[in-house]
Structure formats: structure tokens, C-alpha cells
Amino acid sequence: MSATPQKNRASRRVLAAAAGLVTVGALVAAMPAGAHDRGHGHGGGHGHGHQPRTVDVQLLSFNDLHGNLEPPAGSAGNVSETQPDGTVKAIPAGGVEYLATSLRTARKGNPYSVTAAGGDMVGASPLLSGLFHDEPTIEALNGLDLDVTAVGNHEFDEGATELARLQNGGCHPVEGCYEKGKKFKGADFPYLAANVTKEKTGKPLLKPYTVWKKNGVKIGFIGVTLEGTPDIVTANGVKGLKFHDEVETINKYARELDRKGVKSIVALIHEGGAPASTSYNYDCDSPGAGDGISGPIVDIAEGITPKVDALVTGHTHQAYVCTVPDPSGKPRMVTSASSFGKLYTDTTLTYDRRTNDIVRTSVKSANHVVTRDQPKAPDMTRLIDRWNKLAAPIANKPQGWISADINGRGSTAPEKPLGNVIADAQLEGLAPADKGGAEVAFMNPGGIRADLVHKASGSEGDGVVTYGEAFTVQPFTNMMNVVDLTGAQLITALQQQVSGPNEASPKILQVSKGLTYTLDLTKSGADRVVAGTIKLNGEAIDPARTYRVAMNEFLAGGGDGFPALGQGTNKLVGASDLDLFNAYLAAHSTATAPLAPPATDRITVIQ
């Protein structure tokens, strides 16, 4: 999902400067051994004797893990399942201990099995992974026997140099090695970024594709991230890089693979869609192929050459298994497995040894819940315990108290209770004249990565908010900015929530107390924000007046489709969003008087 990028971390976690760790060019030079000829061959099978004409290849896939090694808490850790009677049940899911068990169980009896991912494996991660620059997640993915992944936008949060380190290994250039006597080994699977090139040379940043081989079976994987990555990542994260059209790029490399005799091709695309239902078992081919899905992936799927046999997608954190017609009109499988390791997709690709191609009519796919009632994988439990011990002194420190769940990520409403808390924290911390003199604060919804959950996550007790839990909500640790904006620019910014690049999928800013307006969803485009209703502390916004506005540095740079917010002047850089959030929790809660979920009455919504 769209989110503030990880440009700055907490003071305990000084972000690496792009100091000569690994040059971007070394990404291609130092790919893991065998990256072009991979095949873990899960389940054995040697292919002796007479070979049948076709062989079923199992493709297991997932996407948008975001460093969620432990089961995600609260509503963010549930998947929706529609029951036979039409009711919807919430099933707790996710966590790499269970994901590992699910994948290993699924591979049994499948001698031809390959595991692929659709990007955003790291970034916006909970403290257990984020505190250590996501080394724990890469280690876990190695243990899961991941064969290949596309890059997502979050793989660029800390820039190309840090992405190179995640691929190739080596200790952090500023923080060094986290465990005595252990050097970070990097990913033993290739990251693919076919549509990302270096501005200076025009050459690909990473391998555009890889070929998985076993007993003469060859399947090519092409990986791309969304072309709009620069709009949702800080400028530093994508400095020196160009992002190209997904369809043109995939078609180019599909032709190249075809010329090399690789006829079976899967595209890993970090871009997605929205099914008509949030239930993972919804049939989005009802009544016709792809009728129940919308969003960018539909146009992409319809434009990708028929040479590509299946699309593994991501980014929108949705669950779907659809067939969308290719340019020749034939149905083709398009899948996404929600997020945070809560689902995995099992796709059967029937490979014809005579044509070296996939028999498209026989492709079958289904999403499966990574349930928490199965045994935990002991190696993943050990990994989590090891890193938790290192994180504990910081992670377990109490920051405040809450009286009930305060939903952020898990809220589907335009105005989220946790969004109000965060915006109020930013306003309160930056309102003093010497801190910026802020009169109003804006928070982008994609930067709220979790809920605050009342139930204890460890031994801290119910209602206690630990540093680790606060970090999971605000993992980017962006520096705050206070800028001058005119009332006219403020009105335009609010209209940009529902117009321009945000018209198809609105991004409703979370606003601090005192700002009120009406959102009329029966209208279209900018008119959905009713200009005459926008007030600050009961007074209509004056287009000619200058206001002091607080927001994170990502929004202040015009990120997430808000160019009006990027026009601010007289900038003052304040504390980090996480520091302000924690200070607010400390100031407004005690064990005997915990913080209650705030009312959500700032935005009046007309449906």
C-alpha cells in the first residue's frame, strides 16, 4: 500500500548514508550463485526412465510480507472468509512460523515446486525486523526457500545502496554487524527489477529475469515494480533511478526469453487491483472472467503479451484469484495473496515437454489461509527468539496506556481513530512557536501501518503500549516539517485526496482536531470535498490567509499525489513522527487513566 518511506529511523537507529557500501553496479555483478539456474527441487524426484509429455509444476506465491515475522496483531492479522450461508468470518492468520509450515506442507508430494513473491518483502516493517534494517526478514525468506521475488516500492525506502546490501550481504555501513562473529549473508534468492534502470547508464539496476530449471523443465520469471514508485517513495530512495512502464518492460523481456527457448513465463508484478469483496475466497470471475476486479492490474494484464502464462501481483494488499483475458482474448491467471504472510497462493502450471510451454487451459490456482492452528516451524521460532533478545531492551519499554483497541490499519473508514491520534500528536508537538507554530496537521493514511491493540503482545500487560508497538504503527520514523501554505493551497490539497492520481483510489488524509469538512462520495473528482464546508476551529478557511501546517517530510515533498502540499515555504524541520507519537502517549495516558479511542467526527461522509 502507499506509505511514507523509511528515510529516517529513530535516534537509536541512524540510517545508513549511501556511504560506499556497495555500488549500484555491483548489484548485477554480485548476484547470488546460481541465480540464473535455480531449482531447490522441493520434494525430490529425479526424472529417471520414461518421462510423460506433461509435468505439473507447483507455483507457490505470496506478496507484501513487510517484515511481519511475528503474527500481525489485531484486525490487521485477520483474513475474511465468506461462509456457505453468506456470513463473513474473520480468521487469525500470518506469521513466518506458520507460513513456513504452510509452504513446506504444500510442497509435499510435488517434485516440481517453485516459490515466488510479488515484492515488498521488507520495508514498513515491525520493530523486530525494522530495527535491524530487515536482516531478520531476509534470513527468514532464505529459510522459507524463496526462489525469486520482484522488488516492490518499499525495497527502495532506504535507497539502491541498501537494496544492494540486502541482496549481496555485508554488515550495515553505520551500525555494523548486529551479532558478534556473524556477518549478514544477504538474500540467497534473486531480487528482480526489470523496469528499474540507472539514469546515467540506462542499464538495469538488477537482473530483469531469472530462469528456474529442473530436469529439463524451464520457467522464466520477470519481475517489475509499479511505474509510479517515485510518487510513493522519498526522493532519496529513488535517486539516480528511472522507473519504466510495466507492460512494455514485461513484453520486451518475454520476447528475449522466448528467443532463448524459454516458452513458459511468469510475471511477478508489484502492482495490483481491488476485488469487489474483501473475502479471500470470493470468486472474482463471477459472472465473467475478471468481472469482479478493478484497478491498475486489469489494464496491465490486458496489455501483457500472451507469451506470459500467469501473473503474480501485489501492492494493494488484497486477496484474489482471477482470470483476466490476455490481448488475444484468452483467459490468464492473475493472483494476489493479501499481505503480511496471511495467505499463500498455490498455482498448478502444466508444462508440456514437447512445446516447452504451459498448457494455459489447465492452469489452476487457489489462495490458502496461513492459519495459526498448525504447528510452528521450529527454525523460524528460533530465528524470532534470537532477534527478539537483541531488540528487547528497546522494544519492551512502555510508552503509554490505552483503554481499548485504537484502529488504524485495520479501519476501513476514511477517518481512522488512530489517524486522529497521530495527527493530534503532530499538532501538539509542533504547535509551540519555537517548534514551528503549527495550526493544523495532516497524516497520510498509508503511513499508518498497524492498529494499537489493547491485548498484551508479550508480558507487558493489557493496555500497555510498548516502544515496539508504537514503532510498528509508525515504522518510517520520518522527520516532521512545518510549512507555510495558503488557504487556497490547503483547499486544493484536500481536493487532491479524491482527484488526479487519487481519484480512482482516494487517499483520505488524517486531520488534527479543529479541522472539519464534508466528504460527499456521491459526487465525482475534486467536488467530493465540499469546499464551503472546510473549517478550522469553526472558521471557514480563508484562501488568502497563510497557515502553518505540520506533516511528515514525505507529504511535505508532495508525495502520495499531493503536489499542493509540496508547495510549502518557510520550512522548519521538527522531531520525528515516532518521537511525537510516543510523547503524546506519555502525556495523555497513565495506567489509571488510559487513552481512549477518539471520536471520528472531523470528516462528515455522505455515501
Side-chain angles (χ1 to χ4, degrees):
M1 304 292 276
S2 163
T4 35
Q6 264 160 309
K7 185 178 168 191
N8 296 282
R9 302 265 195 187
S11 56
R12 296 179 184 85
R13 293 209 49 258
V14 181
L15 174 62
L21 163 65
V22 183
T23 63
V24 168
L27 277 164
V28 175
M31 288 296 290
H36 257 284
D37 184 2
R38 301 183 63 79
H40 292 316
H42 308 298
H46 297 284
H48 293 309
H50 176 71
Q51 289 183 322
R53 173 162 173 179
T54 63
V55 57
D56 281 349
V57 177
Q58 178 189 55
L59 170 62
L60 301 176
S61 56
F62 58 97
N63 51 277
D64 295 277
L65 181 64
H66 290 287
N68 279 262
L69 302 181
E70 296 175 295
S75 56
N78 293 335
V79 292
S80 299
E81 180 182 72
T82 300
Q83 305 301 299
D85 64 359
T87 59
V88 177
K89 180 181 174 185
I91 304 173
V96 296
E97 293 159 297
Y98 303 112
L99 179 60
T101 299
S102 288
L103 295 176
R104 289 164 188 172
T105 303
R107 288 172 189 147
K108 284 175 184 168
N110 289 284
Y112 293 84
S113 184
V114 56
T115 304
D120 276 6
M121 294 295 97
V122 300
S125 306
L127 184 114
L128 176 61
S129 186
L131 190 66
F132 305 107
H133 293 277
D134 284 311
E135 289 180 22
T137 297
I138 298 296
E139 187 183 324
L141 292 170
N142 289 344
L144 289 175
D145 279 338
L146 183 64
D147 287 297
V148 57
T149 184
V151 293
N153 51 291
H154 282 280
E155 264 82 17
F156 293 93
D157 283 347
E158 294 190 33
T161 306
E162 176 63 3
L163 175 54
R165 190 181 75 89
L166 291 181
Q167 176 73 86
N168 300 317
C171 295
H172 194 273
V174 172
E175 296 177 29
C177 299
Y178 294 112
E179 294 178 288
K180 197 172 180 181
K182 278 192 183 176
K183 184 183 169 191
F184 174 56
K185 291 175 181 172
D188 68 6
F189 51 88
Y191 264 111
L192 304 180
N195 65 330
V196 186
T197 58
K198 292 173 274 186
E199 277 179 350
K200 281 185 179 171
T201 64
K203 289 183 176 170
L205 174 68
L206 289 158
K207 296 275 189 194
Y209 59 80
T210 191
V211 180
W212 179 87
K213 300 175 185 175
K214 185 167 183 197
N215 296 341
V217 174
K218 291 187 291 188
I219 298 178
F221 288 88
I222 302 167
V224 298
T225 186
L226 70 155
E227 186 182 6
T229 291
D231 302 329
I232 51 176
V233 173
T234 50
N236 271 5
V238 293
K239 197 173 181 181
L241 303 176
K242 278 191 84 168
F243 292 77
H244 304 271
D245 182 82
E246 302 95 337
V247 175
E248 287 173 16
T249 303
I250 290 167
N251 289 351
K252 170 185 165 183
Y253 287 111
R255 287 193 298 272
E256 188 172 312
L257 281 166
D258 187 58
R259 283 197 304 271
K260 290 183 170 183
V262 179
K263 309 291 184 186
S264 299
I265 302 171
V266 175
L268 308 175
I269 306 171
H270 192 70
E271 178 60 291
S277 163
T278 55
S279 290
Y280 83 91
N281 56 341
Y282 165 68
D283 179 5
C284 58
D285 281 349
S286 176
D291 281 352
I293 187 169
S294 59
I297 200 60
V298 178
D299 286 343
I300 290 171
E302 289 173 346
I304 288 173
T305 171
K307 291 181 196 298
V308 175
D309 299 296
L311 314 182
V312 171
T313 72
H315 187 57
T316 57
H317 291 204
Q318 302 297 309
Y320 48 83
V321 173
C322 305
T323 54
V324 177
D326 70 14
S328 71
K330 289 180 182 161
R332 178 169 52 196
M333 197 61 76
V334 180
T335 68
S336 174
S338 184
S339 64
F340 302 167
K342 292 181 288 188
L343 298 177
Y344 72 93
T345 313
D346 190 335
T347 302
T348 302
L349 303 171
T350 300
Y351 184 93
D352 187 329
R353 289 184 181 277
R354 205 170 296 173
T355 63
N356 296 328
D357 207 349
I358 301 299
V359 184
R360 189 94 74 76
T361 51
S362 68
V363 175
K364 294 180 184 66
S365 200
N367 274 329
H368 300 280
V369 182
V370 176
T371 59
R372 298 185 198 165
D373 57 3
Q374 59 186 322
K376 295 179 179 182
D379 57 329
M380 294 296 155
T381 303
R382 287 193 298 273
L383 181 149
I384 288 169
D385 289 348
R386 208 179 85 235
W387 288 102
N388 261 332
K389 279 196 185 84
L390 288 172
I394 295 169
N396 297 339
K397 195 176 173 198
Q399 302 297 311
W401 290 263
I402 55 174
S403 63
D405 288 2
I406 304 180
N407 284 343
R409 194 70 180 182
S411 167
T412 54
E415 182 184 349
K416 305 171 193 309
L418 190 51
N420 287 358
V421 173
I422 291 169
D424 288 352
Q426 294 175 353
L427 177 63
E428 184 171 293
L430 299 170
D434 63 334
K435 304 290 186 196
E439 299 168 83
V440 64
F442 292 133
M443 175 64 195
N444 57 315
I448 306 167
R449 303 306 297 191
D451 304 332
L452 279 186
V453 178
H454 183 262
K455 190 175 186 315
S457 60
S459 59
E460 75 276 12
D462 291 350
V464 178
V465 180
T466 65
Y467 183 88
E469 290 164 342
F471 183 99
T472 298
V473 169
Q474 294 259 266
F476 301 106
T477 321
N478 273 314
M479 302 313 289
M480 292 299 300
N481 290 181
V482 186
V483 298
D484 284 349
L485 286 171
T486 65
Q489 287 169 324
L490 271 187
I491 293 166
T492 300
L494 290 171
Q495 290 172 332
Q496 285 168 349
Q497 299 175 111
V498 289
S499 62
N502 293 331
E503 180 158 7
S505 182
K507 289 197 181 87
I508 306 303
L509 295 165
Q510 307 299 289
V511 298
S512 55
K513 63 185 175 194
L515 187 76
T516 55
Y517 69 94
T518 298
L519 183 66
D520 187 348
L521 296 176
T522 66
K523 296 182 176 171
S524 62
D527 292 340
R528 287 186 273 195
V529 172
V530 184
T533 65
I534 305 172
K535 294 179 180 176
L536 182 59
N537 301 321
E539 289 187 15
I541 292 285
D542 178 357
R545 198 197 129 188
T546 296
Y547 295 83
R548 291 292 282 166
V549 183
M551 63 195 115
N552 60 50
E553 62 191 329
F554 173 61
L555 277 179
D560 259 358
F562 291 99
L565 296 181
Q567 294 166 358
T569 56
N570 194 19
K571 178 169 79 173
L572 183 142
V573 177
S576 76
D577 52 8
L578 179 62
D579 285 346
L580 292 180
F581 183 49
N582 283 330
Y584 187 87
L585 290 171
H588 292 271
S589 69
T590 64
T592 52
L595 182 70
T600 49
D601 54 5
R602 299 169 191 184
I603 305 171
T604 302
V605 182
I606 300 172
Q607 298 278 11

